[in-house]
Amino acid sequence: MRTRLPVVLLLPVLVVLLFPIFGWLWLNGMQQEMMLTRESQLHQTTASVARTLAMNEDFVAVISDLNDNAAGFLHSTETNDLTLDGREQDWPDQIPMSFSLDNLLEIYFPYTTDSLGYELRVGNNIESLFLFFKVQDDVVVYRQLNNLSVHRNDHVQVAISTPDGSYSRYTFATIQPSDVTAHVIAPGGRALRQEPRINGRWRATDSGYNLEVAIPLDLVGSRFSATVVDVDDETTREIKYVMGAAGTGDPATLGRLILSPGPVARAVGLLPYEMVTVISRDDAVIVSSGEPPPSDQAIEGRAPISLNGQQFGTLVIRDGTADLAELVQELRIQLIIVSTLVLLLTLAAVYFIHASIRTRLGDIQAEIDSLADSRGRISALSPGEDPKDELAKFVTELAPLLNRVTQYNDYLERMASRLNHELRTPLSVVRSSLENLSQDSIPPDQGVYIERAQNGIQRLTNILNKIGEARRLEDSLDENEVVRFDLAEVVRGCVSGYESAYPEKEFELSLEVEQVPVTGIPELFAQLIDKLVDNAVEFSDGNQIRVRLTTENQSAILRVMNEGTELPPETTERLFESMVSFRNSEATSHLGLGLYVAKIIADFHGGNIRIANREDVKGVLVTVEVPLLRVTSRLR
Amino acid sequence: MSYRIAIIEDDDLLRQNYADAFEKSGYQVESFAGRAEAQNIFQSRLPDLAIIDIGLGDEIDGGFALCQWLRKRSEQLPIIFLSARDDDIDIVSGLRMGADDYLTKDVSLPHLVARVAALFRRIEVMAEPEQNKANVLVSGDLEIDGERLSCHWKSELIDLTLTEFWIVFALAKQPGHVKSRDQLMQDSQLVVDDGTITSHIKRIRKKFAAVDPEFDRIDTVYGIGYRWKGDS
């Protein structure tokens, strides 16, 4: 049996399919919702961090100090303890600040690119501020040994504010590449003394010189400027260029130095966001930590840092939402896995339900099929156990219906018998009246009518007998009378009987086998053959009626063939039903019981009967097939 | 003295027709529509022969009850069931109650009258001293008396109904000769279908087999009829 899920049963599967779709849409909605929540949280957090920062005195001190000058910022990089050797390989990898033409603060000679340029690296650890100047200079002029001035040669000047707010200026110059110590410079420009705490190393290079210095942090405030001063002529020792971000002469023009990690950077670096930035009042970045998140997922919070109505800057927090996307992605995968499992389970369940319904329906079908026997009689429904489910209940509820059908069937069967019975008495009245009448002397010209009436009575009686025949036949289907007999002998006997009964017909008997042992009731089988031959004779146009008996595959096959009217198509099965006849109602009465009787007998013998039009000539062929002697027969 | 026949039949017209026919044949007829009135009369005087319908008015099996009632009063009284019912079960029950014959209403009046005459003839012959063996047929173990309507197999009486007797008589008269069903029907003055002859033969065989389990003299010639196998 082919298994096919009815469409109706797929509906639950479709419903289950809706869940992942709804889930997906819900997750998308949830993601957006969470983004919005994140964003608003970020705004709140930013605002509250900004307030906290504004209340931090150190932070405010630094930031307000940084704010009051227009010059640029100098961000210090956090470093390890560096060796003052004039080499840059122990510096962290970072892009140094470059100074060239644009940064010329003073020019006393025409400038060419070759004449001066430098890179500056700034770094600090918790003890010192480190500076590394990588100066490109075509001619390096060192300080003269006997000259007091430190400024009539190539030198580097650094100005820084001190933590207490005062201002110091240092010059680094050397008579030859070596360790150097800073000279403290008076406001007038004169070198006052050496500052032994500030040391460095001057190193000659192919393109100029490197200067690496370390300044203890307790000398360092938040302001810083550095200039490189170029002297190229050994004899005149005139200053040609001063190059730097801002001049060192005026404390007010110093640039801003932001140490790392510094109070501001420390404050913002601790925040658990991907990128935190503090922007000054004039939109310059004061401090920034972290890397900017990918722009498509970034959310941003912005809050002013202000105290007592005065704004120092703006706090900008950028955060990625990759974790959120990741979470949603994970949920999606889980959704798909769970949905697939549920779908599979549902499919399995639907399949199981379908299979069990099928099985149950099959059982019920078999049960219902078994209710009617081959003759269409309905046997009583077996009283089932307590109905297990609706289907069983349905079958149980069929019982009253079947009982009614059975009753109706019984009624019809009794009806035939009652009709038979009831008609007989009035028929006898007519017959006996006629017989009484015929005994008296009546005019001979009237006698013919009595004869006709008697003829009619006889025909009516025959009809009644035929009606009763099928019923009496069923009564005589007694398994106890089943014997083994030779079908060939019965057929032979019958045919020789027909030869005398129907002298006008020519019977052609062909028996291929001498003996055809079967089990059954020979008289009944003879009756079957009677019916077939009776029909064959009545339908026959020609003279010849052929009767053939053969054996094939453990079956005895009896064929009765006549020539004559063919059967209307698609009627062959119905012909075996009671009272079905397709005969033109001409001559004798015909009730259509002959083939019905034949079928009852064939069934009783465990065989079957078929009727068809002949293929060789115009005519009808009836085939009866019964099993040869059953080994397990109920022979007595 | 003419015989007195009782007809118990609930259909007035039919009963009257039967009565007329028998009266014309010279019998006295008493006719009753129901069991009660018949028993009322029979209490004081039994008829010489009773023809009983099985269904009597409201009593579906009133005829059976009447038959049993009569049998209790007389072993010899000839009783004929005349019914519209032709089921084997009715025929068997009727005969088991001791009826001499069971006829369906298909039987023609002349046939019915002939049966009645035959039964009376038997009574007359039985009354005579056993000397007239003119109509006695002896064939091997079978001895059949056409006058007394009696049949013996191996000297044992086979209790046959009139119909059965006539069938056996027809067959045994010409041993080895196949009698078709039609011929048997004519000889036994029956108007029935083939199936009825078959059941008569079946009953006859049983009655013989009750006396002689080896009995196999009635041969079926399929499609044709039956024959009495003579002694080989």
Side-chain angles (χ1 to χ4, degrees):
Chain A
M1 189 160 36
R2 217 174 101 231
T3 312
R4 186 170 51 88
L5 281 179
V7 177
V8 167
L9 283 177
L10 283 176
L11 275 178
V13 179
L14 287 180
V15 171
V16 169
L17 270 180
L18 287 179
F19 285 121
I21 295 171
F22 284 141
W24 196 272
L25 293 175
W26 183 79
L27 275 178
N28 283 351
M30 197 190 71
Q31 189 179 11
Q32 283 182 355
E33 191 64 32
M34 280 163 75
M35 287 274 263
L36 289 176
T37 310
R38 264 295 177 87
E39 229 172 336
S40 92
Q41 273 178 356
L42 189 64
H43 281 297
Q44 287 174 18
T45 310
T46 310
S48 87
V49 169
R51 273 197 302 278
T52 313
L53 286 178
M55 285 185 285
N56 182 314
E57 281 175 21
D58 283 350
F59 180 82
V60 170
V62 172
I63 201 168
S64 51
D65 183 27
L66 290 176
N67 263 304
D68 60 4
N69 193 289
F73 291 95
L74 189 65
H75 290 274
S76 167
T77 310
E78 190 169 3
T79 66
N80 298 318
D81 196 10
L82 298 174
T83 314
L84 296 178
D85 54 2
R87 298 177 199 272
E88 54 182 338
Q89 72 263 23
D90 55 350
W91 280 79
D93 192 17
Q94 65 163 164
I95 298 168
M97 285 170 283
S98 288
F99 296 85
S100 61
L101 175 69
D102 290 343
N103 305 101
L104 286 170
L105 297 173
E106 296 168 33
I107 310 174
Y108 303 100
F109 271 80
Y111 177 78
T112 56
T113 319
D114 295 342
S115 50
L116 183 65
Y118 70 95
E119 290 179 349
L120 173 59
R121 292 169 187 272
V122 183
N124 70 287
N125 60 16
I126 53 167
E127 285 174 345
S128 305
L129 174 69
F130 297 99
L131 303 172
F132 188 93
F133 297 87
K134 184 183 185 181
V135 182
Q136 171 253 315
D137 185 7
D138 45 356
V139 183
V140 178
V141 178
Y142 293 100
R143 182 183 164 199
Q144 287 172 309
L145 189 60
N146 51 359
N147 199 333
L148 283 176
S149 172
V150 293
H151 294 133
R152 297 184 69 79
N153 45 48
D154 278 311
H155 66 271
V156 173
Q157 199 161 67
V158 172
I160 49 175
S161 67
T162 54
D164 56 16
S166 63
Y167 160 74
S168 304
R169 196 150 52 127
Y170 305 101
T171 293
F172 298 91
T174 186
I175 51 171
Q176 60 181 43
S178 64
D179 290 340
V180 291
T181 304
H183 296 267
V184 179
I185 307 298
R190 211 163 48 83
L192 291 177
R193 53 183 171 87
Q194 287 200 322
E195 170 56 79
R197 287 178 293 172
I198 303 175
N199 296 297
R201 170 81 184 187
W202 188 293
R203 183 185 186 85
T205 63
D206 292 341
S207 54
Y209 60 92
N210 288 352
L211 175 67
E212 187 175 21
V213 298
I215 306 169
L217 277 190
D218 44 3
L219 300 177
V220 179
S222 60
R223 296 303 194 89
F224 173 91
S225 271
T227 54
V228 171
V229 181
D230 188 21
V231 172
D232 280 349
D233 193 326
E234 282 275 1
T235 49
T236 61
R237 293 188 176 263
E238 292 294 326
I239 291 173
K240 284 171 86 177
Y241 318 109
V242 176
M243 187 178 274
T248 50
D250 183 359
T253 62
L254 296 185
R256 281 157 255 181
L257 173 67
I258 297 168
L259 292 174
S260 181
V264 178
R266 245 195 319 273
V268 300
L270 288 174
L271 293 173
Y273 296 100
E274 295 202 10
M275 187 181 189
V276 181
T277 311
V278 177
I279 303 174
S280 68
R281 275 200 299 265
D282 38 0
D283 279 344
V285 172
I286 297 171
V287 68
S288 183
S289 78
E291 295 293 319
S295 60
D296 59 330
Q297 300 172 338
I299 52 175
E300 189 185 274
R302 220 172 242 273
I305 303 167
S306 52
L307 187 66
N308 302 329
Q310 190 199 351
Q311 185 178 348
F312 304 108
T314 307
L315 177 69
V316 179
I317 302 182
R318 288 198 184 83
D319 205 7
T321 52
D323 58 333
L324 205 63
E326 229 165 72
L327 175 74
V328 171
Q329 194 59 31
E330 210 167 283
L331 285 175
R332 280 190 182 126
I333 290 168
Q334 281 180 12
L335 179 75
I336 290 170
I337 292 171
V338 170
S339 301
T340 312
L341 281 177
V342 169
L343 191 68
L344 287 177
L345 277 175
T346 312
L347 265 175
V350 165
Y351 184 82
F352 174 76
I353 290 170
H354 173 245
S356 74
I357 287 178
R358 242 185 132 78
T359 315
R360 294 279 298 127
L361 281 179
D363 291 351
I364 288 166
Q365 174 119 40
E367 196 171 334
I368 289 176
D369 278 351
S370 70
L371 289 178
D373 62 21
S374 57
R375 273 173 277 152
R377 288 195 171 168
I378 295 186
S379 54
L381 190 72
S382 62
E385 323 84 68
D386 283 344
K388 277 178 296 198
D389 51 23
E390 282 82 356
L391 284 174
K393 203 156 160 258
F394 165 73
V395 174
T396 318
E397 281 163 2
L398 268 182
L401 170 74
L402 285 170
N403 286 340
R404 281 202 299 281
V405 173
T406 312
Q407 280 170 13
Y408 181 67
N409 243 20
D410 286 350
Y411 167 76
L412 285 182
E413 277 177 14
R414 276 202 313 275
M415 174 85 166
S417 142
R418 288 243 311 261
L419 199 65
N420 190 358
H421 178 254
E422 293 298 327
L423 282 175
R424 263 170 207 252
T425 305
L427 202 58
S428 302
V429 173
V430 179
R431 182 194 293 109
S432 53
S433 301
L434 284 171
E435 282 164 352
N436 275 337
L437 185 65
S438 56
Q439 285 176 4
D440 297 331
S441 56
I442 44 170
D445 56 334
Q446 307 280 308
V448 66
Y449 298 113
I450 291 178
E451 253 175 58
R452 284 176 192 165
Q454 277 176 332
N455 191 297
I457 294 288
Q458 192 52 51
R459 270 163 59 184
L460 266 177
T461 308
N462 285 343
I463 291 170
L464 288 180
N465 280 337
K466 275 186 184 164
I467 292 177
E469 186 180 12
R471 183 175 42 80
R472 276 198 303 277
L473 174 73
E474 283 167 21
D475 289 342
S476 65
L477 297 178
D478 187 351
E479 287 279 352
N480 290 328
E481 297 194 10
V482 168
V483 293
R484 172 186 177 160
F485 67 95
D486 179 11
L487 185 57
E489 187 195 334
V490 174
V491 172
R492 215 178 283 127
C494 285
V495 171
S496 74
Y498 305 139
E499 278 163 354
S500 56
Y502 307 103
E504 74 282 3
K505 299 287 178 195
E506 182 192 324
F507 287 88
E508 185 196 307
L509 171 66
S510 71
L511 290 171
E512 288 186 3
V513 196
E514 259 321 290
Q515 284 205 327
V516 183
V518 295
T519 52
I521 303 178
E523 284 89 352
L524 285 181
F525 215 100
Q527 201 175 341
L528 182 158
I529 304 169
D530 283 353
K531 295 298 171 194
L532 301 188
V533 170
D534 195 40
N535 261 349
V537 168
E538 279 193 57
F539 281 113
S540 174
D541 290 342
N543 274 332
Q544 201 188 49
I545 290 174
R546 298 178 61 189
V547 179
R548 280 186 70 197
L549 180 65
T550 57
T551 55
E552 238 173 64
N553 297 334
Q554 298 303 307
S555 290
I557 297 170
L558 175 73
R559 293 186 175 87
V560 177
M561 291 164 267
N562 70 334
E563 293 167 21
T565 324
E566 297 201 303
L567 296 165
E570 292 169 22
T571 57
T572 53
E573 273 306 307
R574 292 197 54 215
L575 282 172
F576 295 105
E577 292 169 19
S578 177
M579 308 281 191
V580 172
S581 170
F582 292 96
R583 185 172 305 202
N584 298 333
S585 50
E586 291 167 4
T588 46
S589 59
H590 191 82
L591 291 168
L593 282 167
L595 285 177
Y596 176 59
V597 166
K599 181 169 166 52
I600 292 175
I601 296 173
D603 286 347
F604 177 74
H605 285 83
N608 59 66
I609 184 165
R610 298 183 296 275
I611 188 165
N613 289 319
R614 280 175 73 169
E615 284 169 11
D616 47 353
V617 293
K618 212 172 160 224
V620 175
L621 158 71
V622 184
T623 310
V624 180
E625 188 175 344
V626 292
L628 286 171
L629 183 60
R630 288 174 270 174
V631 181
T632 56
S633 69
R634 277 154 290 198
L635 267 182
R636 297 208 306 164
Chain B
M1 186 199 96
S2 62
Y3 291 109
R4 200 171 60 252
I5 299 173
I7 300 175
I8 302 94
E9 161 66 60
D10 58 348
D11 188 279
D12 293 342
L13 300 176
L14 192 58
R15 186 176 67 240
Q16 204 52 55
N17 274 350
Y18 288 149
D20 290 352
F22 283 114
E23 275 167 8
K24 260 180 241 167
S25 304
Y27 297 104
Q28 290 182 46
V29 179
E30 290 174 323
S31 51
F32 307 96
R35 182 168 71 101
E37 47 180 308
Q39 284 179 356
N40 220 8
I41 301 296
F42 295 159
Q43 209 115 46
S44 47
R45 194 179 57 167
L46 284 176
D48 295 314
L49 185 143
I51 297 172
I52 307 175
D53 187 10
I54 293 173
L56 291 176
D58 294 337
E59 291 186 276
I60 302 168
D61 290 333
F64 287 155
L66 183 59
C67 173
Q68 283 171 316
W69 187 86
L70 280 171
R71 262 292 163 260
K72 262 188 251 167
R73 274 162 183 70
S74 166
E75 285 284 328
Q76 311 303 323
L77 174 70
I79 298 175
I80 297 176
F81 275 119
L82 182 61
S83 170
R85 299 195 207 167
D86 58 355
D87 292 340
D88 262 9
I89 184 144
D90 284 322
I91 298 173
V92 170
S93 332
L95 296 177
R96 207 170 273 161
M97 282 167 197
D100 292 88
D101 213 346
Y102 188 108
L103 301 173
T104 64
K105 284 180 179 173
D106 298 333
V107 75
S108 70
L109 279 182
H111 283 164
L112 180 61
V113 173
R115 269 160 205 273
V116 168
L119 287 173
F120 282 130
R121 173 89 188 118
R122 175 159 71 169
I123 293 173
E124 284 163 15
V125 173
M126 300 288 245
E128 284 167 18
E130 204 171 327
Q131 48 187 325
N132 184 4
K133 293 240 175 188
N135 208 354
V136 173
L137 179 83
V138 180
S139 163
D141 290 333
L142 181 73
E143 187 186 325
I144 196 161
D145 187 335
E147 294 293 325
R148 293 162 183 262
L149 309 179
S150 68
C151 170
H152 288 78
W153 176 254
K154 293 186 172 168
S155 307
E156 292 221 43
L157 178 71
I158 310 290
D159 186 16
L160 298 175
T161 70
L162 197 54
T163 306
E164 290 160 3
F165 176 83
W166 274 332
I167 289 174
V168 174
F169 195 73
L171 287 173
K173 254 194 315 198
Q174 289 166 296
H177 211 90
V178 178
K179 287 271 186 185
S180 73
R181 291 188 174 90
D182 285 345
Q183 288 170 316
L184 288 176
M185 274 192 253
Q186 265 167 23
D187 289 344
S188 55
Q189 303 177 349
L190 280 174
V191 181
V192 287
D193 58 291
D194 298 356
T196 311
I197 287 287
T198 308
S199 36
H200 278 298
I201 296 282
K202 221 187 280 176
R203 277 195 291 275
I204 292 167
R205 279 184 181 142
K206 269 186 196 155
K207 284 184 178 175
F208 276 94
V211 170
D212 174 11
E214 302 292 307
F215 179 81
D216 63 346
R217 290 306 175 88
I218 300 177
D219 233 6
T220 309
V221 184
Y222 300 113
I224 305 175
Y226 301 92
R227 80 181 147 207
W228 185 270
K229 267 201 298 197
D231 295 313
S232 43

